[in-house]
Amino acid sequence: MNVKNFDRKFALHHQRSFGGRWQAYLFSASIGFVFISIQLFAIRDKPISNIANNAEPAQATNRFSHSDISSPYEQIFVVERLPAYQKKKSPEAQQIEKTISPTDRICFVHVGKSGGSTVGCALGFGLHCYNNTKMMDGLLPRRTTNMFHADCYDCYDESANFLFVVRNPLERIKSAFLYERPYGINWLKNNYPQYYERRKAFYMDCPFRFLEDWVQSGLLGKTGSRGSKYRVSEECQEIARHSVWGTRRYQEHLYFNY
């Protein structure tokens, strides 16, 4: 899909879906498992320097890991900490990861707002699992040893396959919008200070509290849907477009499309 027309297609789809009382989402979430046996994300072809301000290069260590298993992410970004949920905690899973070769591994690519947490928990990872990270039986959970989510690529380039969970992109956009919408400015500041400026700019500085306003006012440039008599500024229209394209970081799940 041409990215320049994506916002309009999203808006037209959104208008049609509102007319039918949503009907439990006309495009229901379709979760598919896709195995891609190609060499993706060729990090090794683009070596990353750890030298900044003429400082000595950092030494690769594994000291930030949540287990004693080597982490590809921490070997590259040696001063960063791998999120705990990206490492399996069960002794069985860790023993498998110690013995399996990179070419037999599966990398789980968690696409946000696509059912990835449910699948990840079943595989033994720990994002939104509420301490229930027991790995299911089967070859797929045993072979899926590493995870890629948002800005943490903790997979081997030589992995045998990459496992994706996908969803209709328009429904995914709706879900991301509602999931990250704050209850209020004080709530946002107190609970998510790291996201405060970005989400405030989208949800509060611009009149995008409701999905309909984001579509009608922000993407289509029409008057607001909730009785507003004014058109939003060009700046807010630009914010609306970049948000749905994922080219500026206002919402985490729309900016990181993986």
Side-chain angles (χ1 to χ4, degrees):
M1 183 183 295
N2 190 320
V3 70
K4 293 182 178 179
N5 296 326
F6 187 83
D7 54 339
R8 184 164 295 274
K9 289 182 180 295
F10 169 58
L12 292 175
H13 168 81
H14 171 76
Q15 287 177 308
R16 290 195 296 267
S17 64
F18 259 92
R21 297 188 306 171
W22 298 81
Q23 297 181 4
Y25 289 93
L26 293 178
F27 292 93
S28 60
S30 58
I31 299 180
F33 297 97
V34 182
F35 291 91
I36 303 178
S37 301
I38 59 175
Q39 297 299 320
L40 295 176
F41 320 115
I43 291 179
R44 65 178 179 272
D45 294 334
K46 297 180 180 180
I48 299 175
S49 173
N50 288 295
I51 303 177
N53 299 324
N54 298 319
E56 291 295 325
Q59 299 298 313
T61 72
N62 199 41
R63 64 184 181 277
F64 295 106
S65 284
H66 301 272
S67 68
D68 60 354
I69 301 172
S70 179
S71 163
Y73 175 80
E74 291 175 355
Q75 289 175 343
I76 297 172
F77 302 99
V78 297
V79 296
E80 297 293 331
R81 180 183 177 90
L82 183 72
Y85 64 78
Q86 292 201 216
K87 279 292 186 184
K88 295 186 179 182
K89 293 183 174 61
S90 72
E92 178 189 7
Q94 293 195 10
Q95 183 60 35
I96 293 171
E97 189 173 352
K98 289 178 180 178
T99 57
I100 191 172
S101 68
T103 55
D104 291 330
R105 297 169 185 261
I106 297 173
C107 171
F108 172 48
V109 183
H110 177 169
V111 181
K113 310 315 297 173
S114 299
S117 294
T118 300
V119 175
C121 293
L123 294 173
F125 298 103
L127 183 58
H128 306 314
C129 298
Y130 306 103
N131 295 321
N132 182 19
T133 57
K134 182 180 180 181
M135 183 176 64
M136 294 183 64
D137 294 331
L139 182 61
L140 180 63
R142 293 171 65 86
R143 288 290 186 89
T144 308
T145 57
N146 296 75
M147 182 177 176
F148 178 24
H149 181 50
D151 57 349
C152 290
Y153 175 64
D154 190 46
C155 293
Y156 292 93
D157 293 342
E158 299 83 4
S159 297
N161 295 282
F162 289 80
L163 168 64
F164 290 76
V165 182
V166 297
R167 183 179 185 179
N168 181 293
L170 302 180
E171 298 300 336
R172 178 178 173 270
I173 288 173
K174 294 178 183 178
S175 179
F177 175 91
L178 296 173
Y179 179 81
E180 298 194 32
R181 182 174 62 181
Y183 292 111
I185 190 167
N186 291 331
W187 180 90
L188 176 62
K189 184 182 295 185
N190 293 332
N191 290 276
Y192 296 98
Q194 69 274 32
Y195 304 137
Y196 175 74
E197 294 296 336
R198 293 194 291 266
R199 293 187 185 177
K200 176 178 175 292
F202 179 85
Y203 287 103
M204 297 171 180
D205 294 344
C206 292
F208 301 149
R209 286 289 297 159
F210 299 98
L211 187 63
E212 180 79 353
D213 290 321
W214 182 30
V215 174
Q216 297 288 352
S217 301
L219 299 179
L220 296 179
K222 298 180 179 179
T223 56
S225 64
R226 304 278 173 170
S228 300
K229 301 299 182 182
Y230 61 91
R231 296 180 184 273
V232 301
S233 65
E234 292 184 4
E235 180 182 1
C236 283
Q237 291 184 47
E238 184 179 4
I239 287 174
R241 289 191 295 269
H242 281 286
S243 179
V244 77
W245 292 340
T247 49
R248 291 183 186 173
R249 191 173 178 177
Y250 299 106
Q251 297 107 334
E252 297 297 292
H253 289 93
L254 296 184
Y255 182 73
F256 292 109
N257 291 299
Y258 40 79

